[in-house]
Amino acid sequence: MKFATFVHDGKRQAGVVADDRIHPFEHPVELDDLIAEGEGPLCEAGERARAGTLPVALADVRLLPPLQPPTVRDFMTFESHVVGVARGYGDTVPDEWYAAPAFYFTNPYAMIGAHDDVPVPPGCRRFDFELEVAAVIGKAGRDLTPEQAREHIVGYTILNDWSARDLQSREMQVRLGPAKGKDTATTLGPWLVTADELEHHRTADGFLDLALTVSVNGETVGEDRLANMAWTFEEMVTYASRGTWVRPGDVLGSGTCGNGGCLAELWGRTGTLDPPPLTPGDTVTMSVEGLGTISNAVVEGIAPVPLPESRRRV
């Protein structure tokens, strides 16, 4: 099933998607709350809505992020992406990358809808996109095995990890992960697709083999397949749950796909800013087989509020 959160006639609702329509749930409820109740109650609510409520045309709604995740872990599981970005710094892939599926925590308050405008982050001059797929946790667990982890993934959605590359590069010089280079916008959408809907795409070694495509202003920039990940989503959940909890609604991003899944990879491979960084007026469209399409226009941002340099104490 496909579940969406949306605004129609000024009212925020959630419901189940059927063809080009959305059937609102019988009673007002956040999708996050249904996910926390479990896959059974979630799908039962979807069946009741599909059978008993009047549908709304998708064309008449504004799609919101399907859920508001309590945490967002963004991984880096496509070797081609890592190779390309590293080359831009005159570097190679470190041995540590191959040892475990690395991730960082990004801002759960920055989620935006499938067709919302995206302002350029304050002070950014090298704005970029990142084409990813995200798994959504449906059941709490810790120290999970990959076999157990599959039962803890309720579904999947598209994720665009918008990135201010110049801000990111500068702040990572202090030996911390990306923060202000990443935290102004993350697109989730267009809806949450339950895991069973994608099971027929699963390969013998456990990967979901889905086609991924991203275009800027209608021109294809990148194409890859989700099965090119170095770890499965179940293995990512295992690592994320090591020594701690994953809980319902947690989002785990695949990391940027290769073969042009972001501009930084292409810049690293060519040594030039071609294609150029995103600017106001550009539209980024991402499609993932079985998950749908998201498309966001880049708009003017605001100037950064100035801060003084550090007070030197040493």
Side-chain angles (χ1 to χ4, degrees):
M1 303 183 83
K2 299 179 177 69
F3 295 98
T5 300
F6 61 98
V7 173
H8 180 249
D9 287 341
K11 181 181 178 183
R12 177 189 172 98
Q13 302 178 72
V16 62
V17 179
D19 299 321
D20 58 353
R21 300 179 297 176
I22 303 179
H23 293 260
F25 290 129
E26 286 183 316
H27 307 289
V29 62
E30 291 288 340
L31 190 55
D32 309 53
D33 296 331
L34 283 175
I35 291 171
E37 289 183 20
E39 185 176 358
L42 172 65
C43 290
E44 289 169 8
E47 293 288 2
R48 290 195 302 270
R50 195 157 54 183
T53 65
L54 292 175
V56 178
L58 277 172
D60 295 334
V61 308
R62 174 191 166 207
L63 289 171
L64 301 175
L67 69 155
Q68 291 296 323
T71 69
V72 182
R73 295 171 176 87
D74 202 5
F75 285 74
M76 189 165 55
T77 69
F78 286 85
E79 186 177 11
S80 177
H81 165 75
V82 180
V83 169
V85 172
R87 189 172 298 171
Y89 292 95
D91 207 348
T92 57
V93 182
D95 291 341
E96 289 78 7
W97 182 84
Y98 296 96
F103 69 88
Y104 71 98
F105 282 99
T106 190
N107 187 359
Y109 304 123
M111 303 299 109
I112 65 170
H115 305 289
D116 290 344
D117 291 344
V118 180
V120 176
C124 173
R125 289 182 172 80
R126 292 191 180 181
F127 198 31
D128 196 359
F129 57 82
E130 295 197 22
L131 170 55
E132 308 187 27
V133 170
V136 178
I137 298 297
K139 183 169 64 173
R142 63 179 296 154
D143 296 308
L144 300 170
T145 67
E147 293 74 22
Q148 293 169 330
R150 183 168 297 184
E151 300 303 315
H152 289 255
I153 297 174
V154 68
Y156 300 87
T157 190
I158 304 174
L159 185 152
N160 183 353
D161 176 33
W162 299 90
S163 301
R165 297 299 185 191
D166 44 352
L167 307 185
Q168 176 188 356
S169 178
R170 185 165 65 244
E171 67 188 356
M172 291 182 72
Q173 296 300 313
V174 300
R175 304 296 191 269
L176 289 175
K180 297 311 294 181
K182 295 278 192 175
D183 75 342
T184 60
T186 299
T187 304
L188 279 185
W191 32 69
L192 174 71
V193 179
T194 54
D196 60 295
E197 293 275 328
L198 301 178
E199 197 57 34
H200 64 286
H201 292 283
R202 193 174 295 279
T203 64
D205 52 355
F207 292 89
L208 295 174
D209 190 17
L210 309 177
L212 315 171
T213 306
V214 57
S215 65
V216 178
N217 302 328
E219 181 176 345
T220 299
V221 175
E223 295 178 293
D224 202 353
R225 299 201 68 87
L226 193 61
N228 287 330
M229 294 166 64
W231 290 273
T232 67
F233 280 105
E234 290 79 9
E235 290 163 344
M236 292 157 55
V237 173
T238 293
Y239 189 64
S241 72
R242 185 183 290 177
T244 189
W245 288 90
V246 292
R247 297 191 182 277
D250 285 354
V251 163
L252 283 71
S254 64
T256 311
C257 69
N259 301 314
C262 71
L263 297 176
E265 178 202 331
L266 299 175
W267 299 338
R269 293 186 184 279
T270 65
T272 65
L273 293 180
D274 184 31
L278 300 172
T279 57
D282 288 336
T283 297
V284 178
T285 302
M286 298 178 171
S287 295
V288 177
E289 183 179 4
L291 296 183
T293 298
I294 60 176
S295 188
N296 302 98
V298 178
V299 298
E300 290 280 358
I302 62 172
V305 176
L307 285 173
E309 288 192 357
S310 162
R311 282 78 165 175
R312 297 178 183 270
R313 307 299 190 189
V314 178

Coordinates of all heavy atoms in Angstrom, one line a residue, residues 141-182:
G141 N 13.5 -1.8 18.0 CA 14.4 -2.9 18.3 C 15.8 -2.4 18.5 O 16.1 -1.3 18.2
R142 N 16.6 -3.2 19.1 CA 18.0 -2.9 19.2 C 18.9 -4.2 19.1 O 18.4 -5.3 19.3 CB 18.3 -2.2 20.6 CG 18.0 -3.1 21.8 CD 18.4 -2.3 23.1 NE 19.8 -2.0 23.2 CZ 20.3 -1.0 23.8 NH1 19.6 -0.1 24.4 NH2 21.7 -0.8 23.9
D143 N 20.1 -4.0 18.7 CA 21.1 -5.1 18.5 C 20.4 -6.2 17.6 O 20.5 -7.4 17.9 CB 21.5 -5.7 19.8 CG 22.3 -4.7 20.6 OD1 23.3 -4.1 20.1 OD2 22.0 -4.5 21.8
L144 N 19.8 -5.7 16.5 CA 19.1 -6.6 15.6 C 20.1 -7.3 14.6 O 21.1 -6.7 14.2 CB 18.1 -5.8 14.7 CG 17.0 -5.1 15.5 CD1 16.2 -4.2 14.6 CD2 16.1 -6.1 16.2
T145 N 19.7 -8.5 14.2 CA 20.4 -9.2 13.1 C 19.8 -8.7 11.8 O 18.7 -8.2 11.8 CB 20.3 -10.7 13.2 OG1 18.9 -11.1 13.0 CG2 20.8 -11.2 14.6
P146 N 20.5 -8.9 10.7 CA 19.8 -8.5 9.4 C 18.5 -9.3 9.2 O 17.6 -8.7 8.6 CB 20.9 -8.9 8.4 CG 22.2 -8.8 9.1 CD 21.9 -9.3 10.5
E147 N 18.5 -10.5 9.6 CA 17.2 -11.3 9.4 C 16.1 -10.7 10.3 O 14.9 -10.6 9.8 CB 17.4 -12.8 9.8 CG 18.4 -13.5 8.9 CD 19.8 -13.1 9.1 OE1 20.2 -12.6 10.2 OE2 20.6 -13.4 8.2
Q148 N 16.4 -10.3 11.5 CA 15.4 -9.6 12.3 C 15.0 -8.3 11.8 O 13.9 -7.8 11.8 CB 15.9 -9.5 13.7 CG 16.1 -10.8 14.5 CD 16.8 -10.6 15.8 OE1 17.7 -9.7 15.9 NE2 16.6 -11.5 16.8
A149 N 16.0 -7.6 11.2 CA 15.8 -6.2 10.8 C 14.8 -6.1 9.7 O 14.1 -5.1 9.6 CB 17.1 -5.6 10.3
R150 N 14.7 -7.1 8.8 CA 13.7 -7.0 7.8 C 12.3 -6.8 8.3 O 11.5 -6.1 7.7 CB 13.8 -8.2 6.9 CG 12.8 -8.1 5.7 CD 13.1 -9.2 4.6 NE 14.4 -9.1 4.0 CZ 14.9 -9.8 3.1 NH1 14.1 -10.8 2.6 NH2 16.1 -9.6 2.6
E151 N 12.0 -7.4 9.4 CA 10.6 -7.3 10.0 C 10.4 -5.9 10.7 O 9.3 -5.6 11.1 CB 10.4 -8.4 11.1 CG 10.5 -9.8 10.5 CD 9.5 -10.0 9.4 OE1 8.4 -9.6 9.5 OE2 9.9 -10.6 8.3
H152 N 11.5 -5.1 10.8 CA 11.4 -3.8 11.5 C 11.3 -2.7 10.4 O 11.1 -1.5 10.8 CB 12.6 -3.6 12.4 CG 12.6 -4.5 13.6 ND1 12.3 -4.0 14.8 CD2 12.8 -5.8 13.8 CE1 12.3 -4.9 15.7 NE2 12.7 -6.1 15.1
I153 N 11.4 -3.0 9.2 CA 11.2 -2.0 8.1 C 9.8 -2.0 7.6 O 9.3 -3.0 7.0 CB 12.2 -2.2 6.9 CG1 13.6 -2.1 7.4 CG2 11.9 -1.2 5.8 CD1 14.7 -2.5 6.4
V154 N 9.0 -0.9 7.8 CA 7.6 -0.8 7.4 C 7.5 -0.5 6.0 O 6.6 -0.8 5.3 CB 6.8 0.1 8.3 CG1 7.2 1.6 8.1 CG2 5.3 -0.1 8.1
G155 N 8.4 0.4 5.4 CA 8.3 0.8 4.0 C 9.5 1.7 3.6 O 10.5 1.9 4.3
Y156 N 9.3 2.3 2.4 CA 10.3 3.0 1.8 C 9.7 4.3 1.1 O 8.6 4.4 0.8 CB 11.0 2.2 0.7 CG 11.7 0.9 1.2 CD1 10.9 -0.2 1.3 CD2 13.0 0.9 1.6 CE1 11.5 -1.4 1.8 CE2 13.6 -0.2 2.1 CZ 12.8 -1.4 2.2 OH 13.4 -2.5 2.7
T157 N 10.6 5.3 1.0 CA 10.2 6.5 0.3 C 11.5 7.1 -0.4 O 12.6 6.7 -0.1 CB 9.6 7.5 1.3 OG1 9.1 8.6 0.6 CG2 10.7 8.0 2.3
I158 N 11.3 8.1 -1.2 CA 12.4 8.8 -1.8 C 12.9 9.9 -0.9 O 12.1 10.6 -0.2 CB 12.0 9.5 -3.2 CG1 11.4 8.4 -4.1 CG2 13.2 10.1 -3.9 CD1 10.8 9.0 -5.4
L159 N 14.2 10.1 -0.9 CA 14.9 11.1 -0.1 C 15.8 11.9 -0.9 O 16.6 11.4 -1.6 CB 15.6 10.5 1.1 CG 16.2 11.4 2.2 CD1 16.3 10.6 3.5 CD2 17.6 11.8 1.8
N160 N 15.7 13.3 -0.9 CA 16.7 14.2 -1.5 C 17.4 15.0 -0.4 O 16.8 15.8 0.3 CB 16.0 15.1 -2.5 CG 17.0 16.0 -3.2 OD1 18.1 16.1 -2.9 ND2 16.5 16.8 -4.2
D161 N 18.6 14.6 -0.2 CA 19.4 15.3 0.8 C 20.1 16.5 0.2 O 21.2 16.5 -0.2 CB 20.5 14.3 1.3 CG 21.5 14.9 2.3 OD1 21.1 15.8 3.1 OD2 22.6 14.4 2.3
W162 N 19.4 17.6 0.2 CA 19.9 18.9 -0.3 C 21.2 19.3 0.4 O 21.2 19.2 1.6 CB 18.8 20.0 -0.3 CG 17.6 19.7 -1.0 CD1 16.5 19.0 -0.5 CD2 17.3 20.0 -2.4 NE1 15.5 18.9 -1.5 CE2 16.0 19.5 -2.7 CE3 18.0 20.6 -3.4 CZ2 15.4 19.6 -3.9 CZ3 17.4 20.8 -4.6 CH2 16.1 20.3 -4.9
S163 N 22.2 19.8 -0.3 CA 23.5 20.0 0.3 C 24.1 21.3 -0.2 O 24.2 21.6 -1.4 CB 24.4 18.8 -0.1 OG 23.9 17.6 0.3
A164 N 24.6 22.1 0.8 CA 25.3 23.3 0.5 C 26.8 22.9 0.5 O 27.4 22.9 1.6 CB 25.0 24.4 1.5
R165 N 27.4 22.6 -0.7 CA 28.7 22.0 -0.7 C 29.8 22.9 -0.2 O 30.7 22.4 0.4 CB 29.0 21.5 -2.2 CG 28.1 20.5 -2.7 CD 28.1 19.2 -1.9 NE 27.3 18.2 -2.5 CZ 27.0 17.0 -1.9 NH1 27.5 16.8 -0.7 NH2 26.3 16.1 -2.6
D166 N 29.7 24.2 -0.4 CA 30.7 25.1 0.1 C 30.7 25.2 1.6 O 31.7 25.1 2.2 CB 30.7 26.4 -0.6 CG 29.3 27.0 -0.7 OD1 28.3 26.3 -0.4 OD2 29.1 28.2 -1.1
L167 N 29.5 25.3 2.1 CA 29.4 25.3 3.6 C 29.9 24.0 4.2 O 30.6 23.9 5.2 CB 28.0 25.6 4.0 CG 27.3 26.8 3.4 CD1 25.9 27.0 4.1 CD2 28.1 28.1 3.6
Q168 N 29.4 22.9 3.6 CA 29.8 21.5 4.1 C 31.3 21.4 4.1 O 31.9 20.9 5.1 CB 29.2 20.5 3.2 CG 29.6 19.1 3.6 CD 29.0 18.0 2.6 OE1 28.3 18.4 1.6 NE2 29.4 16.8 2.7
S169 N 32.0 21.7 3.0 CA 33.4 21.6 2.9 C 34.2 22.4 3.9 O 35.1 21.9 4.6 CB 33.9 22.0 1.5 OG 35.3 21.9 1.4
R170 N 33.7 23.6 4.2 CA 34.4 24.4 5.2 C 34.2 23.9 6.6 O 35.2 23.8 7.4 CB 33.8 25.9 5.1 CG 34.5 26.9 6.0 CD 34.2 28.3 5.6 NE 32.8 28.6 5.8 CZ 31.9 28.9 4.8 NH1 32.4 29.0 3.5 NH2 30.7 29.2 5.1
E171 N 33.0 23.5 7.0 CA 32.7 23.1 8.3 C 33.4 21.8 8.6 O 33.8 21.5 9.8 CB 31.3 23.1 8.7 CG 30.4 22.0 7.9 CD 28.9 22.2 8.2 OE1 28.6 23.1 9.0 OE2 28.2 21.5 7.6
M172 N 33.6 20.9 7.6 CA 34.2 19.6 7.9 C 35.7 19.7 8.1 O 36.3 18.7 8.5 CB 33.8 18.6 6.8 CG 32.3 18.2 6.8 SD 31.8 17.0 5.6 CE 32.6 15.5 6.2
Q173 N 36.2 20.8 7.9 CA 37.7 21.0 8.1 C 38.0 20.9 9.6 O 39.1 20.7 10.0 CB 38.1 22.4 7.6 CG 38.1 22.5 6.1 CD 38.9 21.5 5.4 OE1 40.1 21.3 5.7 NE2 38.4 20.8 4.4
V174 N 36.9 21.1 10.5 CA 37.1 21.0 11.9 C 36.9 19.6 12.5 O 36.8 19.4 13.7 CB 36.2 22.1 12.7 CG1 36.5 23.5 12.2 CG2 34.8 21.7 12.5
R175 N 36.9 18.6 11.5 CA 36.9 17.2 11.9 C 35.5 16.8 12.5 O 35.5 15.9 13.4 CB 38.0 16.8 12.8 CG 39.4 17.2 12.3 CD 39.7 16.4 11.1 NE 41.1 16.5 10.7 CZ 41.6 17.4 9.9 NH1 40.8 18.3 9.3 NH2 42.9 17.5 9.6
L176 N 34.5 17.5 12.1 CA 33.1 17.0 12.5 C 32.3 16.8 11.2 O 32.7 17.3 10.1 CB 32.4 18.1 13.3 CG 32.9 18.3 14.8 CD1 32.2 19.5 15.4 CD2 32.7 17.0 15.6
G177 N 31.2 16.0 11.4 CA 30.4 15.7 10.2 C 29.7 16.9 9.7 O 29.7 18.0 10.3
P178 N 29.0 16.8 8.5 CA 28.3 17.9 8.0 C 27.1 18.4 8.9 O 26.5 17.5 9.5 CB 27.7 17.4 6.6 CG 27.7 15.9 6.8 CD 28.9 15.6 7.7
A179 N 26.9 19.7 9.0 CA 25.8 20.2 9.8 C 25.1 21.3 9.0 O 24.1 21.0 8.4 CB 26.3 20.7 11.1
K180 N 25.6 22.5 9.0 CA 24.9 23.6 8.3 C 24.9 23.4 6.8 O 24.1 23.9 6.1 CB 25.5 24.9 8.7 CG 25.4 25.3 10.1 CD 24.0 25.2 10.7 CE 23.0 26.1 10.0 NZ 21.6 26.0 10.7
G181 N 25.8 22.5 6.3 CA 25.8 22.2 4.9 C 24.7 21.3 4.5 O 24.4 21.1 3.3
K182 N 23.9 20.8 5.5 CA 22.9 19.8 5.2 C 21.5 20.0 5.8 O 20.6 19.3 5.4 CB 23.4 18.4 5.7 CG 24.7 17.9 5.0 CD 24.3 17.2 3.7 CE 25.5 16.4 3.2 NZ 25.2 15.7 2.0

